[in-house]
Amino acid sequence: MRERGDLVLIEPAIRADQLVKSFGRTRVLDGLELEVPAGAIYGLLGPNGAGKTTLVRILTTLLAPDRGRAFVLGRDVMAEPQRVREVIGLTGQYAAVDDLITARENLYLIGRLLGLRPRAARSRAAELLTAFGLADAAGRKVKDYSGGMRRRLDLAASLVGRPAVLFLDEPTTGLDLASRNQLWGMIRGLAADGATVLLTTQYLEEADRLAGRIMVIDRGRTVAEGTPAELKGLAGGQVLEVRPLDPAHTSAAVAVLAGLAGAARPAAEEDLVTVTVPDEELVAAAARRLDEAGIPVRHLAVRLPSLDEAFLAITGHRAEAEPARPAMARTEGGA
Ligand SMILES: Nc1ncnc2c1ncn2[C@@H]1O[C@H](COP(=O)(O)OP(=O)(O)OP(=O)(O)O)[C@@H](O)[C@H]1O
Ligand SMILES: [Mg+2]
């Protein structure tokens, strides 16, 4: 925070300015801009290969950009990497803990590496093991941990140094719903305690549930930024769902809904037909037309679009799809 007369300027906790990064001929970040306010949980959403990990690696001083600048708590990631490392924690996409030693030993070692004295490192480890529900398993080798326990330990490992800014790269990928819920609760707790969290995810639900603001990136560029509600709004209205009583009527229902003026093209998944409608009057019209066409329905509902549908509407392709890249443009170690 800088003060100039009456004016108080609040620095964003994380700021990226026109970041460009290429690997060989592939431009992975293409002038990316980012501003994360202090104390926020900020979601970075994008499909495989969008550039999320590359951005996180630059912001955490592990990788230098080709162009552009970035700051964490006002510290320049390029010019003062050591000062940046003092205030950040990182939970990478792939587990960083050592498999062959116990959870307690992992956290103790990290504490020692961060300069804690033995007693302080031991007590910080014990505190985190308890907070993350790992106290009972603390003496077991990490290789015998479940995926959920391992992710919790990863998160705990990034918190040993009490970072003010936390980077979580796909923290819940591969976890079952119960483990995800548990981790989400922990991430919310960290933000409630004042940490700033930048979270990357491919789970639209995760960004929706956790983040106050979301940036959607695709092929190294921002395609949308806003609150979860704003992003849903970009998808162009509400989604009407229709399930005919008789599944044999599904294609007839699609045809009826396709005839609604102003509606998007309907899609059917098994017997569930969905169509985006710009205003609610079309819902009544849809119900009337289905009735006139002799199609009784079992389920008719209107809801906000999911972030998945929002992504499709914004980018023109599904979030699951890996962007098509020419094989020769993918280079590991020079073009
Ligand atoms: N060291 C590297 N050398 C060459 N290409 C790389 C390197 N690191 C990343 N890439 C390429 O850059 C692109 C973006 O990768 P990145 O890991 O940032 O994507 P991501 O959004 O994290 O994807 P995912 O969701 O799969 O983790 C990909 O096409 C990837 O193959
Ligand atoms: Mg990644």
Side-chain angles (χ1 to χ4, degrees):
M1 202 148 65
R2 281 186 318 236
E3 286 187 47
R4 275 189 207 150
D6 296 337
L7 195 67
V8 180
L9 300 177
I10 300 173
E11 293 266 4
I14 306 170
R15 183 153 72 86
D17 229 356
Q18 287 292 323
L19 288 178
V20 173
K21 180 72 190 178
S22 299
F23 292 111
R25 268 182 258 169
T26 309
R27 186 168 279 210
V28 172
L29 295 182
D30 198 5
L32 208 82
E33 303 269 332
L34 173 73
E35 257 191 34
V36 179
I41 302 183
Y42 193 95
L44 193 65
L45 184 65
N48 284 136
K52 303 181 296 295
T53 297
T54 304
L55 177 60
V56 167
R57 291 181 68 208
I58 291 172
L59 295 173
T60 55
T61 77
L62 299 174
L63 183 73
D66 300 335
R67 284 213 302 278
R69 300 181 72 187
F71 302 86
V72 177
L73 299 183
R75 302 163 187 217
D76 187 323
V77 299
M78 298 277 283
E80 330 169 78
Q82 196 49 50
R83 291 193 65 229
V84 171
R85 286 179 207 143
E86 285 166 15
V87 293
I88 63 170
L90 166 65
T91 299
Q93 189 168 359
Y94 305 102
V97 290
D98 187 336
D99 258 10
L100 298 175
I101 58 175
T102 69
R104 183 182 289 117
E105 287 162 343
N106 266 289
L107 297 184
Y108 173 80
L109 274 178
I110 293 166
R112 294 288 285 146
L113 286 170
L114 291 173
L116 296 182
R117 298 195 172 278
R119 182 199 288 262
R122 258 194 302 278
S123 84
R124 182 66 178 146
E127 194 176 293
L128 286 166
L129 289 164
T130 303
F132 284 75
L134 294 169
D136 290 344
R140 269 160 57 192
K141 289 198 170 105
V142 175
K143 69 178 172 56
D144 300 327
Y145 272 29
S146 73
M149 291 164 78
R150 204 178 270 254
R151 287 316 270 170
R152 276 185 276 149
L153 179 61
D154 267 338
L155 187 54
S158 65
L159 296 176
V160 173
R162 303 176 197 279
V165 181
L166 195 61
F167 294 87
L168 306 177
D169 196 3
E170 300 198 19
T172 68
T173 294
L175 297 187
D176 62 28
L177 194 61
S179 304
R180 280 169 74 194
N181 265 314
Q182 198 175 27
L183 230 82
W184 288 347
M186 287 166 177
I187 294 167
R188 281 196 199 99
L190 296 169
D193 287 344
T196 302
V197 179
L198 177 77
L199 166 106
T200 81
T201 183
Q202 296 184 48
Y203 296 124
L204 309 149
E205 189 196 354
E206 182 159 272
D208 189 18
R209 296 276 288 274
L210 282 182
R213 294 189 78 81
I214 300 171
M215 184 161 90
V216 184
I217 67 168
D218 188 32
R219 298 162 215 215
R221 289 189 199 181
T222 303
V223 292
E225 206 274 348
T227 62
E230 283 166 350
L231 289 186
K232 287 171 179 174
L234 285 178
Q238 305 203 67
V239 177
L240 172 64
E241 293 183 343
V242 172
R243 210 184 279 278
L245 195 59
D246 181 355
H249 282 149
T250 304
S251 52
V254 168
V256 166
L257 297 176
L260 284 177
R265 204 150 60 93
E269 217 174 282
E270 301 196 314
D271 62 341
L272 181 69
V273 184
T274 54
V275 61
T276 302
V277 293
D279 73 76
E280 269 141 56
E281 276 172 35
L282 283 179
V283 177
R288 211 163 43 236
R289 297 232 196 144
L290 287 164
D291 188 42
E292 284 162 10
I295 304 172
V297 299
R298 182 148 66 87
H299 164 90
L300 188 137
V302 198
R303 58 167 174 81
L304 275 176
S306 68
L307 283 173
D308 215 349
E309 288 155 336
F311 191 94
L312 178 63
I314 296 162
T315 65
H317 65 83
R318 289 210 159 271
E320 295 82 35
E322 170 104 36
R325 289 175 196 277
M328 59 174 290
R330 286 181 67 107
T331 54
E332 309 285 334

